[in-house]
Amino acid sequence: MKIIIKNSFKPEGHDAVIIPVFQGTPLPAIWQEFPELEFLSRGKRIKGKTGEAEVCHSLQQQRLLMLVGAGRIGSLSDARKLACKTMALLRESRVSKALFYFIQPGPYPHDYLVNLIDYLHLNHYRFDRYKRKKSKAVSRIQLAFKKPAALSVNDLRTREIIEHQVTLARDLVNETPAKITPDSLVQLFSASAKKYHLQLTICRKKELEELGLNGLLAVGASSCCSPALLTLSHVPKKFSRTIALVGKGITFDAGGLNLKSGIGMEEMKSDMAGAAAVLGVLITAAELDLPFKVIGFAALAENLPGRRAYKPGDIITFANKKTVEIVDTDAEGRLVLADALILAARCKPDMIIEISTLTGAIVSALGDSYAGMFSRNKKLSSALLQAAESSGELLWPLPLPAEYKESITSKIADLKNAKYSGASAIKAGLFLHEFTGTVPFAHLDIAGTAFLAKPNFCLNSEGATGFGVRLLVEFLKNLA
Ligand code: BES
Ligand code: MN
Ligand code: ZN
């Protein structure tokens, strides 16, 4: 879908005209420009709340006129809801080309417009490659304002680049676990490295053994696809800072020998959403040529039961010599991440941001619209929170109290991987913290936000969200 800005109102060539109605927009101002609307929508009253809508067919103009509740001008969350509702209406009405006509003079701030455009793109997305009958999609939206918009052609291009990578991440997460395996992701990372001039190192079984990356080796032991640790780097000509990103890439999480019950197991194809987001961010960093070194780590494995599966009772020694008792093979994420975090810390980056579908507990705590953020670094966490507010990929800070460390300690090893008795999202964060040394660190638990069971207030379709790509790109852009 193409989004353009052209401040002219010529309804020709558009199947529909969308007219956002803000709180306090006088309807007569709209009737002045669309006289037939006074007649068509006289009975109903639209007050300007988000979620409201009225669709009329103008015989005179031979097109649809859509009044859509838009909330407050300048509210980013209202911009997201407006875009969400609009795309749902356009799809329902099988509109191909639409004019988004802002009658209210504004001004519309830059970040308001960025959110509007991002969420038009996000709500345009459908994963329909397996549907023989696809629903008709919008092909073009023209935004028209009364005054020049606070958004350049270059801004639009940047949003398009980012949106492409969000789509890639969503497609990877939605794609079937038969197609997305450590092998296929190694191939995809290699192709991406070539295409976007990123550096890539691949560790498969042999290299993992040499490096002592025993978390990945244990978790991936029963899969026919050997686990992998990929390092994909964006290295600009000149840089002063290095940011490490780490993503969980469990391409299917059956739970291992502690097999998950049937309920929700089909969603466990989404357990590589962190790694998919890291790939999307790295490609974007290359395309926008961001001025720091960004190193992305993807810890890839498949967690299955089987003859060679790792077992409850096993003790794993990590590359930093710490030992971990396996209490539950379904707490596999922290094991593969521990390996990646050790490697990341060895690169001595200025910070590590790790992103993973780590715990069911975060879903209970925060639902599907906030990811949990765990960090002891004030500067890092406030910059992440700011990026969250402006991108709409929301974060909620949770503590990492040293006092809880006792719960992650094992009787026979240094640490244990499960049975933490309460606050298990927090304690999983504490576990990861054991592998990052002194590097400033933030852990983002996206188990609730990466994959939606049903649409939410700003995304109108279920499935993968690409959570993390826009958040982290925004974070990196703000660092510059
Ligand atoms: N991948 C899951 C976490 C998850 C849950 C992601 C729901 C997306 C939606 C993780 O590997 C897991 O199984 N966690 C367990 C750990 C427990 C056995 C200690 C959990 O949180 O229930
Ligand atoms: Mn698991
Ligand atoms: Zn998992």
Side-chain angles (χ1 to χ4, degrees), residues 248 250 253-256 258 260 268 271 303 310 328-333 357-358:
K248 172 175 173 182
I250 299 297
D253 180 13
N258 291 96
K260 284 185 186 296
M268 286 305 132
D271 214 17
N303 188 25
Y310 78 130
D328 190 323
T329 60
D330 198 10
E332 84 297 338
T357 45
L358 197 66

Side-chain angles (χ1 to χ4, degrees), residues 452-473:
L452 303 179
K454 53 175 181 16
N456 70 11
F457 51 81
C458 53
L459 294 173
N460 65 26
S461 74
E462 58 288 303
T465 60
F467 192 101
V469 177
R470 289 180 314 111
L471 169 74
L472 294 174
V473 168

